[in-house]
């Protein structure tokens, strides 16, 4: 990717650029963000259904909180 994806501002298409995130998971991340506000840490992504420790580790390589 080259540039980290901002988890708090990215739309679905940008989120899908992160390895392991497809349409459904991108929608769940956005839904969680809309319901709970901005992510305060990347570890909070663990609360999103479908993101486990392995996927979270991959996301951390390509994302930031912006």
């Amino acid at each position: 990717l080259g540039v980290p994806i901002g988890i708090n501002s990215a739309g679905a298409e940008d989120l899908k650029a992160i390895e392991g995130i497809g349409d459904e998971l991108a929608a769940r991340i956005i839904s969680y963000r809309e319901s709970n506000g901005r992510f305060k840490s990347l570890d909070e992504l663990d609360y999103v259904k479908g993101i486990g420790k392995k996927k979270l580790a991959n996301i951390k390589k390509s994302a930031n909180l912006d």
Side-chain angles (χ1 to χ4, degrees):
L1 294 174
V3 177
I5 303 294
I7 233 58
N8 283 315
S9 62
E13 290 303 313
D14 290 332
L15 289 171
K16 291 186 327 185
I18 298 173
E19 181 182 343
I21 296 181
D23 290 326
E24 194 171 316
L25 191 51
R28 278 193 234 132
I29 290 170
I30 292 169
S31 177
Y32 182 92
R33 186 174 71 200
E34 290 172 349
S35 297
N36 298 287
R38 295 174 59 86
F39 289 95
K40 293 169 185 68
S41 80
L42 291 176
D43 290 325
E44 199 177 336
L45 285 164
D46 193 36
Y47 297 128
V48 177
K49 182 181 176 187
I51 298 180
K53 295 195 184 303
K54 185 176 179 183
K55 192 165 287 194
L56 180 58
N58 280 338
I59 292 171
K60 284 182 174 182
K61 294 176 190 174
S62 305
N64 65 24
L65 294 173
D66 66 2

